[in-house]
Every structure is written in C-alpha cells, then in structure tokens.
Amino acid sequence: AQSVSQHNHHVILSEAASLELGCNYSYGGTVNLFWYVQYPGQHLQLLLKYFSGDPLVKGIKGFEAEFIKSKFSFNLRKPSVQWSDTAEYFCAVVESGYSTLTFGKGTMLLVSP
Amino acid sequence: SQTIHQWPATLVQPVGSPLSLECTVEGTSNPNLYWYRQAAGRGLQLLFYSVGIGQISSEVPQNLSASRPQDRQFILSSKKLLLSDSGFYLCAWRQGASPLHFGNGTRLTVT
C-alpha cells in the first residue's frame, strides 16, 4: 500500500526565513503529486501539483516543489516566508490512473512576525 | 465552474443518535466523490469513495456508512454515533486526473 511521510509535524520560522517541507512516498510506479494548504479556519486548497514534465513545479503564493523520482520525494519550498503562510500543509500522492489520494499527516507551519 | 457544498458546518450530537452529513457537487457530471476525516496530527484519513451512483468503496471499517443516491450527491451516515466519531469530516470530488477539490468540512462533536 502507498504511504506518504511528512517528516516535520511542526515547523516554526521567522518571517523572511526560507522554508523546506519534506515529503516522501512509498510507491515506485508513476504517480501524481500534490501539496495542499489549510489556512486557519479555511478549507483545504490546492497549492501545487505535479503530473509530468518539468520536475520543478511552481504554485500559488511563491511556493514551489521539486519532484525527485530517485528519492521518492516531493519537497515543498519557499525562499522567504510571510506571516500569512501560517497554515497546515499536506502532501498527497495518487498512482496514475487510480482514484484515491493518500495524504501525509500534515505539517503545521507557524511563521512569527 | 464547479462548486462543492457540504453541510452542516458544525454539528453536536449525543451518543447513540443517528448522523447524516450531505455533500453535493455542481458544475460537473460523474465525479469521483470522497469522504475524509481529518484529525490533528493524523492527516486525512479516507473513509469512503464513490466512482458512480450506488458504488461505494469503504477504506476503513467503522461505525459509518456512505451512500450516493444521485450522481452529484454523497451522504455520510451513522445509525448510532459513538464518542470516537467526533472529528472533522471533509467531502471532496475529483474528475479524471484532476486534483481533489474539498468542501468546507463539518465539525462533528459527539457528546
């Protein structure tokens, strides 16, 4: 069965610090990869996705993620975080052609002003 | 454009009472529909998904059930709630290889 690991459950950063959230998955075949974000009091929304092509994908609000197939990783990055980035971030994986996404346990990011 | 509606937003129910959470999607046809439960520190747990009317797949055996009486309607139910059913429930839809789109969620408290 697929599994998704997010290594950090809680991350605390100061504004303008750089961010990298780790995500590793277990499936060895072709996958589609996603990062979702949930701001306080809001619903889950898509941050970015990877289906194929350039392994470096750019999402909303200055976020990007790099798919490294050899490492089964899809880490999320942002060069300079803002207080408004405080949220919970979820990595998700689905095998190509399958219906169900598998989510990581989430990483709560707190950015202090 | 497609929209997803989930209600109610919050619900407080006594132990042993029934449950019915409803989710509807607009602007698309024959979507895949999903019920997730979100718990702090545990991420999103897939409970049920449906690829068509009357087709329900259960991922986790428990006190809950799901039904899809219409193409764009997905219902999460229980005959008798347990304390452990408290949580945050999310409905989502997806079509083909598109990302999941989530509803706003229902905070269920069983007392």
Side-chain angles (χ1 to χ4, degrees):
Chain A
Q2 276 187 43
S3 66
V4 179
S5 296
Q6 292 182 240
H7 313 297
N8 307 101
H9 296 303
H10 291 89
V11 173
I12 301 174
L13 295 173
S14 300
E15 274 195 315
S18 64
L19 170 72
E20 181 159 3
L21 301 182
C23 173
N24 286 88
Y25 63 93
S26 62
Y27 182 65
T30 303
V31 294
N32 298 329
L33 299 152
F34 308 86
W35 275 97
Y36 283 85
V37 60
Q38 187 172 30
Y39 297 102
Q42 296 188 28
H43 64 280
L44 275 159
Q45 54 187 288
L46 182 68
L47 200 55
L48 48 78
K49 63 184 185 290
Y50 172 81
F51 283 2
S52 64
D54 188 345
L56 183 64
V57 292
K58 295 190 183 298
I60 59 173
K61 303 186 180 185
F63 285 91
E64 64 179 31
E66 185 174 12
F67 171 50
I68 303 180
K69 190 174 182 179
S70 61
K71 295 185 177 180
F72 301 94
S73 70
F74 190 54
N75 291 355
L76 181 70
R77 300 195 293 248
K78 186 170 183 179
S80 175
V81 294
Q82 300 172 313
W83 175 79
S84 58
D85 293 324
T86 293
E88 191 162 17
Y89 293 82
F90 294 91
C91 180
V93 176
V94 61
E95 300 174 35
S96 291
Y98 280 71
S99 299
T100 60
L101 274 69
T102 300
F103 282 83
K105 292 185 177 181
T107 297
M108 180 65 71
L109 171 66
L110 175 63
V111 180
S112 56
Chain B
S1 63
Q2 302 93 350
T3 55
I4 179 169
H5 303 281
Q6 185 182 341
W7 68 93
T10 59
L11 189 61
V12 180
Q13 292 281 98
V15 168
S17 64
L19 172 73
S20 181
L21 302 182
E22 192 161 341
C23 172
T24 59
V25 180
E26 295 176 0
T28 186
S29 60
N30 198 31
N32 291 344
L33 296 171
Y34 306 81
W35 279 109
Y36 283 88
R37 179 160 57 196
Q38 183 179 6
R42 296 175 61 184
L44 279 79
Q45 180 187 36
L46 179 63
L47 302 176
F48 302 95
Y49 72 96
S50 170
V51 298
I53 296 175
Q55 300 178 60
I56 308 295
S57 296
S58 174
E59 292 293 305
V60 182
Q62 52 198 313
N63 188 41
L64 302 169
S65 62
S67 62
R68 185 170 178 173
Q70 299 181 45
D71 180 43
R72 289 167 287 180
Q73 184 184 27
F74 204 26
I75 298 172
L76 182 68
S77 304
S78 173
K79 292 182 179 178
K80 288 185 178 181
L81 284 168
L82 305 172
L83 283 174
S84 57
D85 292 324
S86 293
F88 190 60
Y89 292 84
L90 289 161
C91 181
W93 73 272
R94 183 172 184 243
Q95 194 146 43
S98 73
L100 273 176
H101 302 274
F102 287 90
N104 288 338
T106 297
R107 173 74 59 193
L108 171 65
T109 303
V110 182
T111 60

